[in-house]
Amino acid sequence: MLDLRAELTENYDFFKESFTKLRELTGPTLSDRLKQVKDHYDAELASSKSEHQCFVSELQRQVEEYNKLEALHREVKDRMAEDLASHQKERERLVGEVAGLEEKVKTVRSETYKEGIIAMELEKNRLSTEYEEIIESKLDLLTNGINQKKEEECARLRKELEYEMRIAEIERNCSMKWLAAERDRLREYITKTLPDGESVCKTVEDEIKSALTAEQGEYSEDSGFIPGDTPASDSERKDVNVQTRISLRSMDRMVAIEDIVEGSTVLVIWNDRHNAYMLFSSSTYSHFVKESSVRRLGLATTLPNVPRRNWILGKVSHLDLCIIRKADNRYRLPVDTRVYRVDVEPLEGRIPRSERPAT
């Protein structure tokens, strides 16, 4: 009991405050508050009902609009289905037309291709004919020019050869006269000096004649009758005898123009294009005469008034295969051109002009 009293004493303020609040709640203020709350919720309920009515009316309106839209959608869908069916039919028709047009295009293309091929072949044949005619005309002109040039060159060489032959004939006659004079002088000297000079001279002459006879070669060829379809009579048969005499000196005069080797007799000619003496040859390589050989052959001239000799015969003693390395070279040839540089000796029995006796 004492404990209860002590606890009440300690919590007096708390219990007092709590009883005061209970008195306020259970008094006339509570009914006023409840009435206010009731009025507030009634007003809220009325506004909710009005909003509900508005929402229901709006929902009905939207349902009506939805029904209208659904009907419109169904109508549009039916119309689109009809349009799609018509478009499908139109597409099928267009596909058929395209297939027909493609077939026509293929046919026209094949015909056009054939016509083009024919036209191209005709044009090709025409151009080929014109080109052949042009080439033939150019070849004719070139051939005529080459023939004319060759004839002119041959005529010039023929004139020079005739001139050189006349000079050689004159020189030979002079040499023969000089040799005859020397022979007579030597015979007279031997006859006067030796007691049997006449017999010695006669023996020497016989030996020289026998040596010349042994040096000369003879070749004879007899060709008989060749029978044809019908036999010929004895009076129609003819014997042909061909006899050729070739001496060693004549063989030395046979000029080589293709296979030029050491010991070949060659024709040395002057070439204005290369400004040098070279060999007359049909080889693919040019053969140029060395300067020492030019001096040895008596072709070098330093006097402006003395005409240059255009050709001379000689014998090859040595050949050197060379390659042009410099662009600026004495022969005016392109780089990497292969040429032969040749040593040429005078022919045996040919006396240089400087060593010939005066007549």
Side-chain angles (χ1 to χ4, degrees), residues 260-275:
I260 298 177
V261 295
E262 294 182 1
S264 299
T265 301
V266 292
L267 176 63
V268 180
I269 60 174
W270 173 256
N271 190 292
D272 292 328
R273 177 184 176 187
H274 300 295
N275 195 27

Side-chain angles (χ1 to χ4, degrees), residues 104-350:
K104 291 181 180 179
V105 166
K106 289 181 180 179
T107 305
V108 172
R109 185 178 296 171
S110 62
E111 293 177 356
T112 306
Y113 179 74
K114 292 178 181 178
E115 293 176 357
I117 291 295
I118 295 172
M120 186 177 67
E121 289 294 332
L122 293 175
E123 185 68 16
K124 181 180 178 181
N125 294 332
R126 186 182 65 81
L127 292 176
S128 177
T129 305
E130 293 180 357
Y131 182 73
E132 289 177 357
E133 292 177 355
I134 293 172
I135 292 297
E136 288 179 358
S137 62
K138 289 185 178 180
L139 286 176
D140 292 338
L141 292 175
L142 184 61
T143 304
N144 294 332
I146 291 174
N147 291 332
Q148 183 179 359
K149 186 69 175 178
K150 182 177 69 174
E151 291 175 358
E152 293 176 356
E153 189 70 18
C154 290
R156 185 180 66 82
L157 290 176
R158 191 179 297 111
K159 290 181 180 179
E160 293 180 357
L161 184 60
E162 291 175 356
Y163 176 73
E164 292 290 336
M165 289 178 65
R166 286 197 297 270
I167 293 177
E169 184 68 21
I170 294 172
E171 292 176 352
R172 188 178 66 82
N173 293 333
C174 293
S175 299
M176 293 298 294
K177 290 179 180 179
W178 178 77
L179 289 175
E182 287 293 323
R183 182 196 60 188
D184 296 338
R185 186 177 62 81
L186 184 60
R187 177 183 294 174
E188 183 180 357
Y189 175 77
I190 292 173
T191 303
K192 291 180 179 180
T193 304
L194 299 177
D196 54 348
E198 292 290 339
S199 61
V200 171
C201 292
K202 185 172 180 59
T203 303
V204 171
E205 288 180 358
D206 293 338
E207 290 179 356
I208 291 174
K209 289 180 180 180
S210 61
L212 290 175
T213 303
E215 183 181 353
Q216 294 177 351
E218 294 184 357
Y219 174 78
S220 63
E221 178 182 355
D222 296 335
S223 60
F225 172 72
I226 300 175
D229 295 336
T230 58
S233 61
D234 295 336
S235 61
E236 294 178 351
R237 297 183 180 180
K238 295 181 180 180
D239 293 334
V240 179
N241 296 325
V242 179
Q243 186 177 20
T244 304
R245 293 178 179 270
I246 302 176
S247 63
L248 294 177
R249 186 173 181 180
S250 299
M251 291 178 66
D252 285 340
R253 298 301 190 271
M254 292 183 179
V255 178
I257 63 173
E258 185 173 0
D259 297 327
I260 298 177
V261 295
E262 294 182 1
S264 299
T265 301
V266 292
L267 176 63
V268 180
I269 60 174
W270 173 256
N271 190 292
D272 292 328
R273 177 184 176 187
H274 300 295
N275 195 27
Y277 281 99
M278 58 189 305
L279 304 186
F280 180 77
S281 170
S282 61
S283 174
T284 55
Y285 299 108
S286 299
H287 294 68
F288 292 98
V289 181
K290 294 182 179 180
E291 290 76 7
S292 58
S293 298
V294 172
R295 292 191 296 270
R296 189 182 305 115
L297 294 171
L299 300 175
T301 176
T302 57
L303 300 176
N305 297 328
V306 177
R308 185 187 301 276
R309 189 168 183 177
N310 291 327
W311 68 275
I312 192 173
L313 294 176
K315 187 178 290 292
V316 176
S317 60
H318 185 69
L319 296 95
D320 292 325
L321 181 62
C322 304
I323 301 176
I324 302 298
R325 297 298 185 187
K326 297 180 180 179
D328 186 12
N329 54 83
R330 71 179 73 180
Y331 301 128
R332 304 170 184 174
L333 291 173
V335 179
D336 294 335
T337 303
R338 296 177 180 268
V339 299
Y340 279 102
R341 298 191 73 236
V342 188
D343 285 320
V344 181
E345 300 288 342
L347 288 178
E348 295 180 1
R350 186 178 182 88

